[in-house]
Amino acid sequence: MSWERNIVLKSPAEIEMMKQAGHINALALEEVRKNIRPGVSTGELDEIAETLIRDHGGTPAFLNYPGPYPYPATINASINDELVHGLPSKKRELREGDIFSVDCGTVFQGFVGDSAFTVAIGEVSKEAQKLIAVTAEALRLGIDKMRPGNHVGDVSAAIQQYVEANGFHVPREYSGHGVGRQMHEGPQVPNYGLPGQGLVLRPGITIALEPMVLAGTHRTRVLADKWTVASADGSLTAHFEHSVAVNEGEPLILTV
Ligand code: MG
Ligand code: MG
């Protein structure tokens, strides 16, 4: 898919609409977060997200999304070595010591909000704590580069350099992306890249920025369910995401 060809600039009124979609998505993730505990199934968390989104007049953006087969759920529920696109299930319970990544998308009045977080379930290893903290900080650093005149490569490089300086890795096959009337628009925003390369950012560009970080390798594999993407070596992974608008001044985070 060439997302570079599909860049859609948003008007201030459209960005206001995206803030509403993003807000509902943030509420859904917050509701999921409140219910995360050892013993809860990822299928239950999926229902909680779907109910909140529909109660606010939205629809789940991931449900029926085209792929190896239509995506069957509201959230991606990815545990430990699972990086993204994990399938929620009533048979899969969170356990003390897991790290858990939740990704969710909401469509509201024709606009999409897309965001994600990773959280520790109870006590986790020092490495897991560091992985989560580094991934969250990589997102913050990337967002800070989303300013007019900067290149997409400045954003990508900020993420890659910080992650690799901390001894972790970024995948090559999965990227951030433009977001708006479609969940995936241009430009593609990889989590690796070179400063000064790629599209020049300008106000009205809206991007779902999503550092995905793997502890042991940049390589990934797709599990037998055909959706779940995991680290190739079984090492832990983390994922944070916000939908963000490039503004004249500070970048505007839409999924809050
Ligand atoms: Mg997402
Ligand atoms: Mg995304």
Side-chain angles (χ1 to χ4, degrees):
M1 184 185 321
S2 178
W3 297 337
E4 296 290 344
R5 273 191 257 126
N6 190 20
I7 293 163
V8 187
L9 288 181
K10 312 306 185 303
S11 69
E14 288 172 321
I15 287 174
E16 281 306 308
M17 296 300 301
M18 288 188 67
K19 275 169 78 174
Q20 294 184 40
H23 179 60
I24 296 168
N25 205 58
L27 293 176
L29 283 182
E30 210 41 54
E31 198 61 27
V32 168
R33 188 193 290 273
K34 278 189 224 159
N35 285 281
I36 288 175
R37 60 180 186 279
V40 72
S41 75
T42 57
E44 288 171 77
L45 298 173
D46 186 67
E47 284 182 354
I48 286 166
E50 177 169 9
T51 300
L52 189 136
I53 290 167
R54 293 197 190 280
D55 284 352
H56 285 77
T59 51
F62 295 0
L63 190 61
N64 297 318
Y65 195 84
Y69 50 93
Y71 192 76
T74 293
I75 63 170
N76 297 157
S78 308
I79 303 174
N80 295 331
D81 61 313
E82 298 167 3
L83 176 65
V84 287
H85 306 167
L87 297 176
S89 166
K90 289 270 174 71
K91 294 180 189 150
R92 188 99 187 267
E93 293 181 355
L94 297 177
R95 293 180 306 194
E96 172 92 19
D98 285 339
I99 64 172
F100 179 46
S101 299
V102 187
D103 193 349
C104 190
T106 295
V107 186
F108 181 71
Q109 297 190 358
F111 289 92
V112 178
D114 182 10
S115 50
F117 68 87
T118 300
V119 69
I121 314 299
E123 290 283 307
V124 300
S125 67
K126 280 263 175 348
E127 186 192 45
Q129 291 172 32
K130 180 181 171 189
L131 182 70
I132 293 170
V134 164
T135 310
E137 177 66 5
L139 175 59
R140 195 191 68 76
L141 292 169
I143 291 172
D144 193 55
K145 294 288 184 189
M146 288 182 55
R147 293 166 189 273
N150 278 356
H151 293 255
V152 162
D154 297 320
V155 178
S156 300
I159 291 169
Q160 181 182 20
Q161 287 170 11
Y162 182 72
V163 168
E164 292 181 353
N166 279 283
F168 297 137
H169 308 270
V170 289
R172 302 303 190 263
E173 305 92 339
Y174 304 94
S175 295
H177 50 89
V179 62
R181 289 192 183 273
Q182 304 292 326
M183 190 159 69
H184 293 120
E185 300 180 349
Q188 199 166 358
V189 185
N191 292 311
Y192 66 95
L194 297 171
Q197 304 271 305
L199 181 79
V200 177
L201 297 175
R202 56 195 188 277
I205 288 179
T206 46
I207 288 168
L209 192 64
E210 49 183 319
M212 304 161 204
V213 179
L214 304 99
T217 174
H218 68 82
R219 292 190 189 84
T220 60
R221 67 195 180 103
V222 177
L223 303 189
D225 66 24
K226 295 190 166 65
W227 270 107
T228 308
V229 177
S231 61
D233 63 354
S235 64
L236 292 175
T237 69
H239 178 210
F240 281 83
E241 177 178 31
H242 272 308
S243 299
V244 183
V246 179
N247 233 347
E248 288 296 349
E250 292 290 308
L252 179 66
I253 300 177
L254 304 167
T255 36
V256 287

